[in-house]
Amino acid sequence: MNSGMTQISHSPTASRLNSAWIGNGNLITHGLGGEAANNSNGRKNRNNALVTTMRDRSNNRKPLQKGRNLSIEAIQTVQALKRARATSSCPLEPALETTFRRLLKLDMIAVLRELIRQNQCYLALKVFEEIQEEYWYRPQISLYAELVSLLGSNGLLEEVELLFIKLKKEPCLEPDINGFNALLEILANFNLTGLAELLDAI
């Protein structure tokens, strides 16, 4: 055996140490104490590697998308209504019954605003009518402004006038200066000055 290597005896303990030396690729100290120290270092290295891996995974998480507060139920409702609308053989009423009417108040409002955002005029009006039937419904000028903007941008001016008639019939309309100003601006943008003048009487 070369002089640069420590001679290892052929005892059972030495055989175990020799196997460990061959498997790990490192020459270890003779005796059980050296074997225990080597195993302990191996466990520490594995634990450190595990912690590092978990930290890297957490750093890869993407930030939440801002401005979207839709629950899973609300998302599924939007998808079901759009699917029913796109399929002529699938009427809208069952989709409303099995999805939208089972939602909580905040989810219903969220579904309405999401349909407005997705430019779904018919579905937005239908959902708004459903919301008006709820016991907790209170008219909000801001919701009317969003609907008027949706309909006006799609050239549905007759629907805007019908919606305005509903607005005038709303009982207990809460004062909302920002909402009224937004609605006035939207009506002016679509050259609906006649409706804007009627807004003063509401």
Side-chain angles (χ1 to χ4, degrees):
M1 183 173 293
N2 296 334
S3 59
M5 298 179 62
T6 304
Q7 185 177 0
I8 300 176
S9 65
H10 295 285
S11 65
T13 302
S15 298
R16 291 196 301 273
L17 293 176
N18 192 29
S19 299
W21 174 70
I22 295 173
N24 294 332
N26 296 318
L27 183 61
I28 62 175
T29 306
H30 289 291
L32 295 177
E35 183 179 6
N38 191 63
N39 291 338
S40 177
N41 290 333
R43 286 194 297 270
K44 289 181 180 179
N45 292 335
R46 287 194 297 271
N47 291 338
N48 290 337
L50 178 60
V51 172
T52 301
T53 301
M54 293 176 65
R55 189 181 299 114
D56 290 342
R57 290 177 181 175
S58 64
N59 289 336
N60 290 333
R61 293 177 181 174
K62 296 181 179 179
L64 296 175
Q65 186 176 1
K66 297 181 179 180
R68 298 283 301 280
N69 296 319
L70 291 177
S71 65
I72 296 177
E73 292 80 6
I75 294 173
Q76 292 174 343
T77 298
V78 171
Q79 294 173 344
L81 293 177
K82 290 175 62 178
R83 185 164 52 249
R85 174 64 174 167
T87 306
S88 58
S89 60
C90 183
L92 190 61
E93 181 62 26
L96 289 170
E97 181 65 30
T98 58
T99 58
F100 183 77
R101 291 171 186 163
R102 298 183 179 184
L103 295 177
L104 299 176
K105 172 184 177 180
L106 294 179
D107 284 335
M108 286 186 172
I109 300 297
V111 167
L112 173 59
R113 287 202 157 102
E114 180 63 15
L115 291 172
I116 293 174
R117 190 190 69 83
Q118 294 189 20
N119 205 35
Q120 297 288 331
C121 298
Y122 175 80
L123 290 177
L125 286 175
K126 191 66 178 177
V127 163
F128 182 61
E129 292 175 358
E130 291 285 331
I131 289 177
Q132 288 179 306
E133 298 297 327
E134 295 292 327
Y135 72 93
W136 47 259
Y137 170 73
R138 298 292 183 274
Q140 297 181 18
I141 194 68
S142 59
L143 278 180
Y144 273 95
E146 292 179 41
L147 287 168
V148 168
S149 178
L150 170 67
L151 298 174
S153 61
N154 285 275
L156 303 176
L157 301 184
E158 293 183 2
E159 283 73 8
V160 171
E161 294 180 1
L162 293 176
L163 189 65
F164 210 83
I165 293 175
K166 289 184 178 182
L167 175 61
K168 291 183 63 177
K169 293 180 179 180
E170 287 281 18
C172 304
L173 186 62
E174 297 181 359
D176 182 0
I177 297 177
N178 293 331
F180 272 100
N181 290 336
L183 184 55
L184 281 172
E185 183 178 355
I186 292 170
L187 292 174
N189 291 337
F190 295 122
N191 294 323
L192 297 174
T193 55
L195 295 179
E197 293 175 356
L198 293 177
L199 191 61
D200 295 334
I202 296 178

